[in-house]
Amino acid sequence: MRKPFVAGNWKMHGSKASILNLVTGLNSMAGELDGVDVAVCPPSLYIDFTKRTLSTPAIVIGAQNMAEEPYQGAFTGEGSAVMLKDLGCDYVILGHSERRAIYGETDSEIANKVQVALKSGITPILCVGETLDERESGVMESVISAQLDAVLDVVGIAAFNFVVIAYEPVWAIGTGVTASPAQAQEVHAFIRGKLAKLDASVAEKVVIQYGGSVKPGNAKELFGQPDIDGGLIGGASLDADDFIAICKAAGV
Ligand code: PGA
């Protein structure tokens, strides 16, 4: 049985004041969480502040990105896996479509980062997903396959015992347009099926989150699909009530 996992991707949002307010809300409702793993991923500048403000073991911390260099060095503006570990991060989101589209991150850089995260003891949340053009032109499965293959080639299938996958259709991110539960399930089943061809037991265990305009009102139906194991939540994770409601929809 896979334990559902919900992560909040705060993207580049927040201030000390707003995070204090958000985390105070999360702390007060954390006791309602049951049967679900939960993480929040603040901007890296606020990871330490968020970690210190969280007063519950029910919610852990992740980062939104990290450097390919695992330790330290002359990489102005970057932050490494070892630094994230030092700050107490358990997870790191890698290959988010905004990183791919805005910062030109390639499949191969993302694969290297996944390897570095794994070696550093941080669980990567590997994001994959197609654009609307790709979906409409019928190449959705080959795009997602290529994104997964790039990582599989570097780390191998056994490493996926320690990887979380987030399927995020680019057209559903921040748009208010959600993939229907059936559309999302179809892709989740495709991803699990692809991994099953390499190792059935890894595929059975790997957590595959759905991301893209998840809200309290649509979470239950999405998470009720057999291959959807929770979500990666953007906008709705900035509101404590909404985020906890989504986490509860994934739990028991
Ligand atoms: P959204 O973002 O929930 O605001 O659509 C999801 C994500 O980008 O991870």
Side-chain angles (χ1 to χ4, degrees), residues 24 27-28 36 52 55 111 117 157 162 180 185 208 223 227:
T24 302
N27 285 336
S28 72
V36 58
R52 287 166 193 269
S55 62
I157 182 67
F162 309 101
S180 70
Q185 165 59 24
I208 309 178
F223 300 159
D227 288 294

Side-chain angles (χ1 to χ4, degrees), residues 9 11 96-98 168 172-176 211-215 232-236:
N9 174 10
K11 306 193 181 186
H96 189 280
S97 62
E98 287 152 16
E168 298 206 307
I173 295 177
T175 57
S213 299
V214 179
K215 303 275 181 276
L232 183 56
I233 318 301

Side-chain angles (χ1 to χ4, degrees), residues 236-247:
S237 71
L238 297 170
D239 180 285
D241 292 309
D242 284 358
F243 186 61
I244 295 290
I246 291 168
C247 294

Side-chain angles (χ1 to χ4, degrees), residues 34-225:
D34 194 10
V36 58
D37 288 329
V38 178
V40 290
C41 305
S44 55
L45 295 172
Y46 291 115
I47 287 172
D48 190 51
F49 179 71
T50 305
K51 176 95 185 159
R52 287 166 193 269
T53 310
L54 270 170
S55 62
T56 167
I59 302 175
V60 302
I61 294 266
Q64 300 173 14
N65 181 37
M66 58 171 216
E68 268 182 88
E69 158 60 41
Y71 304 108
Q72 58 183 330
F75 300 98
T76 302
E78 291 291 303
S80 72
V82 159
M83 293 170 182
L84 295 183
K85 194 77 194 162
D86 192 32
L87 289 175
C89 285
D90 290 320
Y91 293 95
V92 60
I93 299 169
L94 294 174
H96 189 280
S97 62
E98 287 152 16
R99 302 287 326 162
R100 294 176 190 264
I102 305 170
Y103 300 99
E105 280 193 21
T106 63
D107 281 343
S108 112
E109 280 170 86
I110 293 158
N112 290 339
K113 289 183 180 189
V114 168
Q115 185 175 48
V116 167
L118 289 168
K119 283 190 176 156
S120 310
I122 301 175
T123 302
I125 301 174
L126 169 64
C127 300
V128 298
E130 82 289 356
T131 63
L132 192 56
D133 265 6
E134 289 162 345
R135 173 172 278 260
E136 286 177 346
S137 56
V139 295
M140 173 179 85
E141 291 190 354
S142 61
V143 166
I144 292 169
S145 251
Q147 291 170 341
L148 290 169
D149 283 337
V151 178
L152 284 163
D153 286 350
V154 172
V155 302
I157 182 67
F160 276 69
N161 277 312
F162 309 101
V163 172
V164 171
I165 298 172
Y167 167 58
E168 298 206 307
V170 178
W171 46 274
I173 295 177
T175 57
V177 180
T178 319
S180 70
Q183 279 175 322
Q185 165 59 24
E186 183 193 1
V187 181
H188 282 236
F190 166 75
I191 293 170
R192 201 177 304 284
K194 177 182 167 66
L195 299 181
K197 286 185 197 138
L198 300 171
D199 188 318
S201 98
V202 171
E204 187 51 36
K205 277 185 272 170
V206 70
V207 167
I208 309 178
Q209 298 176 317
Y210 168 78
S213 299
V214 179
K215 303 275 181 276
N218 59 25
K220 191 94 201 165
E221 213 192 332
L222 283 161
F223 300 159
Q225 302 299 308

